[in-house]
Amino acid sequence: MGKPRRTLVSSKRIHSGGTAPRQYLTGIDILHGHVCVPLVFVFKKGFDLELAEQGLAEALKHYPQVSGRYQKDGEGQVFSDGQDHGIDFRVHRCEGPLPYGEHQPLLKDLKHFYKGFMPWQVVGKDMPLLQVDVSQFEDGGIVIAVCIVHSTFDGSSFFGFLMNWSRACRGLPLELPSFDRSVMIKAGQTGLDTTGFDLVRQPSILDGVVTMSRLGWRAATNMHKEIFRIPAPAIQAWKDQAETELPDAKGVNTGKLVTAYVLRALSPLMPPGAPRRVGMALDMRYVRGLTLPRHYFGNGLCYAQAHYTEQDLAQQSLSVLADRCKPPADEVSAETVSKLLTVAEQHRQKKSIWRLIFKPAVDTLAGGIVQNNLSLLPIYDFDLGRGTPDWYETFAMTIRMMALVSTPQKDGGIDLHMAASKAELRALRERLQADGISGKA
């Protein structure tokens, strides 16, 4: 499909109307980086642009931190100034009818619908922490792209904000989070002994350059994106088989089944002898024994790993592999996460947090995959007054990564947003087809 022909018709800076005290970023915020994350929604019926803008302005009144900018203090620590600099809201007109949706993903066209930025353009610059681009087609259909700074939001924070925008458009009361980032900083000031802790590590400068170069090279030459649908009946059949095969297993769920299936399909293409790993994004808000509020606003993500061998993946059943698709208990304990917060806080104070890297992200470069389970987020509940989205999409990652998204119908099926090499995507496609799963949305 050719590049969409867009014309900018309106560009506004929407303000919150309020201010907030200076708020320092946590080590975890900075560790995830000031990267641009675009999240794109397709509304075939469109929505009222004026109402959407008004609802966004209303939501921002309760999120003054989002209207702020990142600055550095005299000691070089990064903070949000809480001032009402505003966020950008742009409207474009597009020629022709809306061509995108559930059965016609945006894929390579996605990049035309938002204005990206680089991490070094955020701190000390007039860079909004949230930007909205609305592209309206001649038939009224809309593609809306919301770009966020990852150090401001994780998935829970972002979709909490999105749902409040939705509530404001529909005249419903807002459900506000806890904006106190100091609880995360204090949780890292424990004095815990972190000797031997290696879920984040500080590579040497040479190793860091080599790793970043590998990631950049892969992104530029070998990473591609495809979206596969695994329908609800297929997932239910896997669950039924697991219940028959492992009657005492309680944790075999959709996410584990899909992840084990994908890793098993890709394993033969991975380097012989390399350990097979699944890096999992986890939400610290739900770690037992940790005092982080469930409605904490900020970046609360950490990572852990599940481990396999080539032989495991070649010989064991999907049910057994799914049952094993979990990190060791000590990797997700309150003590381990507290050590992560301690390491992050120590490096934040020394302004060396940029030197750290999550171990699972590096370990999966050779023989593994990173899983991001988004299926429990309210992606398809985002209603700006005229119904929920017909489709959701985001950009391809620079690492081998799978994002699990519920189908628009929320019927128990999964749309698997997969970033991998062409050969790996082909292998997964062929595996699905051989198992009688079309794999097409």
Side-chain angles (χ1 to χ4, degrees):
M1 189 174 295
K3 179 180 178 180
R5 297 171 65 90
R6 297 197 310 160
T7 302
L8 179 66
V9 296
S10 173
S11 180
K12 298 181 180 179
R13 183 151 284 187
I14 298 177
H15 295 270
S16 68
T19 60
R22 171 185 296 193
Q23 188 178 81
Y24 282 88
L25 271 64
T26 72
I28 298 297
D29 291 331
I30 301 170
L31 182 55
H32 283 89
H34 308 308
V35 296
C36 170
V37 179
L39 301 108
V40 180
F41 303 84
V42 175
F43 290 82
K44 289 185 177 179
K45 294 186 295 184
F47 48 79
D48 185 316
L49 296 180
E50 185 176 353
L51 178 63
E53 183 181 334
Q54 291 172 352
L56 180 56
E58 178 62 29
L60 281 173
K61 290 179 182 179
H62 306 277
Y63 287 82
Q65 295 86 349
V66 174
S67 291
R69 296 291 185 269
Y70 285 171
Q71 309 290 346
K72 285 186 178 181
D73 67 11
E75 297 180 353
Q77 299 292 350
V78 180
F79 64 92
S80 173
D81 64 10
Q83 300 304 300
D84 188 15
H85 303 284
I87 63 101
D88 287 344
F89 187 87
R90 295 178 286 264
V91 177
H92 311 258
R93 295 282 185 256
C94 295
E95 295 183 5
L98 175 72
Y100 308 107
E102 181 178 0
H103 303 292
Q104 183 62 54
L106 290 92
L107 297 177
K108 291 182 179 179
D109 285 355
L110 184 140
K111 63 181 179 294
H112 300 304
F113 289 97
Y114 65 91
K115 183 180 180 182
F117 52 84
M118 302 305 291
W120 53 83
Q121 295 177 297
V122 176
V123 179
K125 311 290 184 181
D126 183 24
M127 178 60 69
L129 305 180
L130 184 145
Q131 302 181 46
V132 179
D133 280 276
V134 176
S135 299
Q136 187 174 47
F137 289 78
E138 291 177 3
D139 61 359
I142 286 176
V143 174
I144 178 171
V146 185
C147 283
I148 59 174
V149 178
H150 200 15
S151 53
T152 305
F153 300 91
D154 62 7
S156 179
S157 296
F158 172 71
F159 280 97
F161 174 83
L162 217 62
M163 292 309 299
N164 275 329
W165 179 5
S166 174
R167 293 184 186 103
C169 288
R170 292 178 290 147
L172 301 175
L174 276 60
E175 299 176 6
L176 298 180
S178 169
F179 293 104
D180 183 11
R181 272 184 163 93
S182 69
V183 299
M184 181 80 87
I185 293 175
K186 291 175 183 176
Q189 295 173 344
T190 60
L192 286 174
D193 181 6
T194 60
T195 303
F197 179 79
D198 67 348
L199 283 178
V200 290
R201 64 189 187 198
Q202 179 176 323
S204 68
I205 293 178
L206 178 59
D207 286 344
V209 169
V210 170
T211 299
M212 292 301 108
S213 298
R214 287 178 65 192
L215 288 170
W217 178 253
R218 287 180 61 166
T221 64
N222 202 34
M223 295 304 293
H224 302 270
K225 176 185 171 185
E226 195 165 339
I227 300 171
F228 303 92
R229 172 156 297 174
I230 305 179
I235 292 174
Q236 188 58 53
W238 292 345
K239 289 181 176 179
D240 292 343
Q241 179 61 34
E243 186 174 349
T244 300
E245 190 175 337
L246 304 170
D248 296 328
K250 304 297 184 184
V252 178
N253 56 29
T254 297
K256 292 179 180 179
L257 285 161
V258 174
T259 304
Y261 185 94
V262 172
L263 185 60
R264 185 174 66 174
L266 300 190
S267 179
L269 282 74
M270 295 175 182
R276 305 306 195 233
R277 298 181 174 97
V278 177
M280 300 176 180
L282 303 175
D283 192 334
M284 285 187 266
R285 299 170 182 84
Y286 295 90
V287 173
R288 291 181 181 178
L290 212 60
T291 57
L292 199 62
R294 289 285 178 91
H295 59 308
Y296 169 79
F297 182 86
N299 202 308
L301 295 181
C302 61
Y303 290 86
Q305 291 182 321
H307 303 267
Y308 301 92
T309 66
E310 295 172 74
Q311 291 72 28
D312 293 336
L313 294 165
Q315 298 171 4
Q316 295 181 351
S317 70
L318 180 63
S319 302
V320 172
L321 295 173
D323 187 47
R324 293 181 53 192
C325 191
K326 55 191 174 186
D330 62 345
E331 278 194 18
V332 292
S333 67
E335 181 181 3
T336 297
V337 176
S338 294
K339 288 183 178 180
L340 167 64
L341 295 175
T342 300
V343 170
E345 173 60 14
Q346 290 172 347
H347 281 270
R348 184 190 73 88
Q349 292 179 9
K350 294 186 292 186
K351 300 182 290 296
S352 59
I353 193 76
W354 62 273
R355 295 277 310 275
L356 297 181
I357 189 166
F358 279 110
K359 182 174 181 285
V362 176
D363 286 349
T364 57
L365 284 176
I369 192 165
V370 174
Q371 178 234 65
N372 197 0
N373 192 345
L374 309 179
S375 62
L376 298 180
L377 293 175
I379 289 172
Y380 287 110
D381 295 334
F382 178 37
D383 184 346
L384 294 175
R386 202 180 292 173
T388 55
D390 298 279
W391 186 245
Y392 159 83
E393 207 165 325
T394 189
F395 68 149
M397 298 299 292
T398 59
I399 57 177
R400 192 186 296 111
M401 186 174 208
M402 54 186 294
L404 282 64
V405 181
S406 66
T407 60
Q409 298 80 16
K410 296 182 285 187
D411 59 1
I414 288 291
D415 284 330
L416 174 62
H417 295 234
M418 191 76 207
S421 70
K422 283 185 177 181
E424 290 166 340
L425 294 173
R426 182 170 59 252
L428 179 56
R429 190 184 318 116
E430 291 173 352
R431 182 68 267 168
L432 289 165
Q433 292 170 350
D435 290 338
I437 303 170
S438 69
K440 290 294 184 181

